[in-house]
Amino acid sequence: MTLQFSLVAAAPESVDSPCVVVGVYENGLLTSAAARVDGAAGGAIKRQVESGDISGKAGSVNLLFAPAGVAAQRVLVVGLGAQKSFDAARFQKVNIEAARALGRLPLESAVSWLADVDVPGQDAAWRVRTAALAADHAAYRYTATVKPRGAGQPTLAALAFATGAEAQPGLDQAIAIAEGVRFARELANLPPNICTPAYIAAQAQAFAEAHDKVACRVLDHEEMEQLGFGSLLAVGRGSANKPKLVALEYRGGADDAKPYAFVGKGITFDTGGISLKPGPGMEEMKFDMGGAAGVLGAFVAAVKMGLPLNLACVVPAAENMPDGDSYRPGDVLTSLSGQTIEVLNTDAEGRLILCDALTWTARTFQPQAMVDAATLTGACVTALGKHASGLMSKHDDLAAELLAAGEATLDRAWRLPLWDDYQVQLDSAFADVANIGGKSAGAITAGCFLSRFTDGQRWAHLDIAGTAWDEGRKGLATGRPVALLAQWLIDRCA
């Protein structure tokens, strides 16, 4: 179920709602909304602060049921932490925790005053957008292959933010971006026996058919063979699920304006191929199409926002399986660009499908800028953990734009060098380039490999191996970097 958002103008003590949400800082400092509720309720919040029941610790939640003098049935008091250090990241955290707490209550709607909490350097539109995206993320439930839990119980369906009308643009953006994030998360969470290359192609085609200004083209393995996609096709050769190249195009800008382009790694399942991965944790390799999901989600967000620009989104989709016909270590592949590639490890397959997709995207769309997203290397997870995506580009201005978009949305990236010094690690005696560069600087050498297929292009690479999903058997896709990419497009329109 999709969470519905709106803005309201009302007093927290007098609004008739199943629940109102207010904030309290540490040391008992009440926000203006909490103070109004407290005054109407005869000091009910302050008494709980004084007794220690309400600590104000960031993300803590306390529920007051049917407090006298307040029209709402419940008051959810959310801790904001210390006021002097309150910042954007804390604001996002407390809104996530508030939405989680609301999701545990038997109610269908609520009104939140958290979007009115002051965040240094941020306006009302940013606060509402961030609060809505945080709530939508917390409210997401995967149900495609699971029986719904708690069927028949009321669940949160509508959340209103009490703030001024000047926040409406932020809410409009949040609704569109949230739809893109949900699209990406649902696609990535699906099991690999459902989410195959053909399934991704079908989802893209269905979206194009449902929206004006959007067209979809799908290349099958036979067409790619005729065109010379030697690198991409080699990766998918061992699977019964044949590769697809999926291309979506949105024409929201001038007819003569060059498009922006996204390219996303779409390995729908990665066994490692002949260089087989260890068994434990391999089930998480259904998330190896997180880059594809991310760029498709950003495309959805751009279309839903009606951004006045042209955008292409290209997904090379394949399954990396061991088979009698699989490609092998030692094989030399001829890529679409004409460059030959020595395969040293079949588990470095993402770059092999991306290089052909990048070449085709540049030739087909001649984009003014091209950004790829890929769950590319474990080395990036080692370097940056789960908090930041790795960003690589030889274009300082493009890198700065993407970093700024990540900061604005809290979908952050960190720039890694893409110096030519690293290129020697990809030298091969048998081909123009090897597909891996040895043990050191694995994320960077993967970026260096891709850079060889983007000559003359204004291009950046996002390694989202650490940020695309939460680890563990119950870990879900995060929907990153949809917010970052959507913000980058919004900024281009400004």
Side-chain angles (χ1 to χ4, degrees), residues 140-145 179-191 194-195 199 203 286-287 289 293 476-479:
Y140 171 83
R141 298 290 182 271
Y142 174 77
T143 59
T145 55
E179 188 163 345
V181 170
R182 285 194 305 273
F183 186 96
R185 296 184 81 186
E186 194 69 12
L187 203 60
N189 284 329
L190 285 170
I194 293 176
C195 186
Y199 183 88
Q203 294 299 108
K286 70 175 186 176
F287 294 120
M289 40 66 68
L476 295 172
T478 62

Side-chain angles (χ1 to χ4, degrees), residues 17-18 28 57 73 116 171 188 191 206 231 252-253 257 313 317 326 378 453 456 469-470:
S17 170
K57 182 180 178 182
Q73 297 169 26
D116 237 15
L171 186 64
S231 186
C313 180
S326 294
F453 301 86
W469 77 94
D470 296 319

